[in-house]
Amino acid sequence: MSKIADDTQELVIEDVTFDEARMNFNRVLQRLFKNMVDSDSTDGSITLKIDVSLENEYIPNYDPDIEGESRRIQKPKFKHKVSSNITVKDELTGNKNPEMQLVWDEGRQMYVLAYITGTDQRTIFDKDQPWNQEEGEGGQGSLETDPEKAWMNTPLLPGEVADEGALPGEVADAGALPGEVIDGECREVDEEEEHREDDGYSYEEPEDEE
């Protein structure tokens, strides 16, 4: 005996169960093409996602082929989502090569960038430069104007250093200019008077008694 009516539906995307999902898919697909044209994009994508869940339900049993007063049925639910995406590139790029080396800094406990030294190309950061050396390591250890450094006391020319303020010829009086003659009183003294002046005392001749 054949059935009077077919009471089943096929679970296929073309079936009426998925009519709404198909319509939404077609709408989003058309919007995707419009957005790609407006944004001058060459890449896009569309996704249809269908979540399926089963709900258990107990109903009264009137089926003569099934024993019991109730029976369990499973009712599927379908939830769909249609999404689209277009690729519009907007990016900035850069390239930085500092020409420095990566070294470990013990004081900071971190990696730092340091200038490359000790090569044929001399730099102010080379360790053998005088200003980069500590005292006792073969460097100057101070500015060249430091008079306390032994290497500053080396004479520029061999031989004794003459008095730069000395003038050739006889030494003139300290209070006179070169070539100037100092006027003064000149008198003769006898040996006794000279002896008294050498003693540092002043003597006076006694007056003659009348």
Side-chain angles (χ1 to χ4, degrees), residues 30-154:
Q30 292 300 314
R31 291 202 296 263
L32 173 63
F33 285 126
K34 183 178 185 305
N35 292 334
M36 292 179 65
V37 172
D38 293 344
S39 62
D40 197 20
S41 175
T42 58
D43 298 304
S45 63
I46 184 171
T47 303
L48 170 61
K49 180 183 178 183
I50 299 178
D51 295 327
V52 182
S53 62
L54 290 175
E55 180 181 351
N56 295 322
E57 185 176 337
Y58 288 88
I59 63 174
N61 180 26
Y62 295 103
D63 190 342
D65 298 332
I66 301 176
E67 297 180 357
E69 296 181 354
S70 64
R71 61 188 176 94
R72 188 187 71 165
I73 63 173
Q74 292 180 311
K75 298 167 64 175
K77 291 183 176 181
F78 303 97
K79 181 181 180 181
H80 73 272
K81 181 174 68 175
V82 183
S83 60
S84 66
N85 181 48
I86 59 175
T87 303
V88 180
K89 292 184 177 180
D90 183 11
E91 60 183 11
L92 297 174
T93 61
N95 184 22
K96 176 64 175 178
N97 183 9
E99 296 294 340
M100 300 173 72
Q101 62 177 334
L102 185 68
V103 298
W104 174 256
D105 191 304
E106 284 292 341
R108 304 178 188 175
Q109 288 295 299
M110 63 184 298
Y111 284 99
V112 297
L113 290 177
Y115 289 99
I116 302 174
T117 60
T119 63
D120 293 337
Q121 182 68 33
R122 307 297 294 159
T123 70
I124 62 173
F125 302 101
D126 289 339
K127 293 182 178 179
D128 58 351
Q129 296 289 4
W131 46 80
N132 291 332
Q133 295 186 4
E134 299 293 337
E135 290 191 55
E137 294 185 358
Q140 294 178 356
S142 63
L143 297 176
E144 294 183 356
T145 55
D146 191 345
E148 297 182 358
K149 300 304 175 183
W151 49 269
M152 283 296 297
N153 298 326
T154 304

Side-chain angles (χ1 to χ4, degrees), residues 197-208:
E197 292 179 354
D198 292 340
D199 290 341
Y201 296 97
S202 176
Y203 296 92
E204 296 182 1
E205 291 291 338
E207 297 181 358
D208 295 337

Side-chain angles (χ1 to χ4, degrees), residues 162-172 178-179:
D163 185 3
E164 297 180 355
L167 297 177
E170 297 181 357
V171 179

